[in-house]
Amino acid sequence: PQRKQVQTQSKAAPVPSVNPTVTVGSAFLRELPGWFLFSGVFLPVTLLLLLLIAYFRIKLIEVNEELSQTCDRQHNLKDGSSLYQRMKWT
């Protein structure tokens, strides 16, 4: 009886333990050359991020200038209105 168990086990196909993430990752790196990853993925994404940073920096400077101008106008209007009220009361 023990011989039959050994024979049936030897006839069974061995199941390889394969990690799919390792094989997919290595196949991905084998199929895509490094220059394509750099010029086709890394460089455009980096340039896009730098462009967005520059755009929002310019917009922030513009908004800060507008806010400072409106604060100056409101300050001047308050002074003028108080002067007008003083002249009106006298």
Side-chain angles (χ1 to χ4, degrees):
Q2 290 178 351
R3 287 182 121 184
K4 288 183 182 179
Q5 287 179 350
V6 172
Q7 287 176 353
T8 55
Q9 287 177 356
S10 64
K11 289 181 182 177
V15 178
S17 60
V18 177
N19 190 354
T21 58
V22 172
T23 57
V24 169
S26 61
F28 180 75
L29 291 176
R30 270 186 274 134
E31 295 296 325
L32 287 176
W35 63 267
F36 179 78
L37 285 176
F38 180 75
S39 65
V41 177
F42 177 74
L43 193 63
V45 170
T46 304
L47 292 176
L48 179 67
L49 289 175
L50 290 174
L51 187 67
L52 284 172
I53 289 169
Y55 174 76
F56 285 121
R57 184 173 181 255
I58 291 169
K59 287 296 180 186
L60 182 64
I61 290 171
E62 289 176 359
V63 168
N64 282 339
E65 288 174 357
E66 288 178 7
L67 283 175
S68 67
Q69 289 174 359
T70 55
C71 287
D72 290 343
R73 287 182 191 153
Q74 287 177 356
H75 185 67
N76 290 339
L77 287 175
K78 285 180 183 177
D79 289 345
S81 64
S82 63
L83 180 63
Y84 174 74
Q85 286 177 356
R86 276 188 254 148
M87 290 178 68
K88 184 178 171 183
W89 286 102
T90 56

